[in-house]
Amino acid sequence: MGEGEIIAFRDHKYSLNPSVTVWYDVDEFRLHLEHAEADHLPPAQRAEHWRQAIALYQGDYLEDIYMDWSIRRSDQLKNMFKQALANLAQWEADRQHYQEAIALYEMLLDQDPYRDDI
């Protein structure tokens, strides 16, 4: 096993090489949303985590894979994205940043046009 190789082969098994750092956008997305839910976090930092998560979301997860597990995961991530949009839009509206709030609500309606509450 070489140090720079991503796939490791040890004891007749393949695995990810633990010495290689792998960046995964889904993990980063979820991490920002988890941080946004921290009780001790000031509202401005919470909003920044929502912004970061929203910026990471690039569309449906594995949209070309039609398997139950990938569809469930895609739906879960999309729902998390929509909730982040709603949270940030509400935060912006509460701060009377109406243009920002409207833009976020429009993004949300693009994702979910039947949201009567929006």
Side-chain angles (χ1 to χ4, degrees):
M1 168 175 71
E3 279 302 307
E5 295 178 25
I6 294 175
I7 304 297
F9 182 73
R10 186 180 306 163
D11 299 326
H12 305 287
K13 296 177 188 172
Y14 288 98
S15 65
L16 291 178
N17 185 339
S19 68
V20 174
T21 302
V22 177
W23 184 83
Y24 182 41
D25 59 347
V26 173
D27 284 342
E28 190 78 13
F29 173 77
R30 292 175 57 92
L31 188 61
H32 279 294
L33 294 178
E34 285 175 21
H35 286 306
E37 296 302 316
D39 292 334
H40 67 281
L41 203 63
Q45 288 181 0
R46 184 180 316 274
E48 185 56 31
H49 282 294
W50 287 325
R51 275 191 199 90
Q52 294 294 324
I54 289 166
L56 283 167
Y57 190 85
Q58 298 297 308
D60 291 344
Y61 178 76
L62 299 176
E63 65 183 325
D64 295 336
I65 307 245
Y66 303 103
M67 300 179 86
D68 288 343
W69 69 268
S70 66
I71 293 168
R72 280 192 306 274
R73 181 72 163 154
S74 180
D75 289 345
Q76 178 189 42
L77 293 169
K78 182 181 276 190
N79 287 333
M80 293 166 69
F81 172 66
K82 291 188 295 188
Q83 187 60 54
L85 283 171
N87 291 344
L88 185 57
Q90 184 62 56
W91 187 78
E92 293 289 8
D94 291 345
R95 295 182 63 232
Q96 298 180 348
H97 294 168
Y98 299 121
Q99 293 299 333
E100 292 88 344
I102 289 169
L104 291 161
Y105 282 128
E106 286 174 346
M107 288 174 64
L108 181 53
L109 286 172
D110 285 344
Q111 295 292 317
D112 194 353
Y114 302 109
R115 287 278 305 261
D116 291 338
D117 61 320
I118 302 304

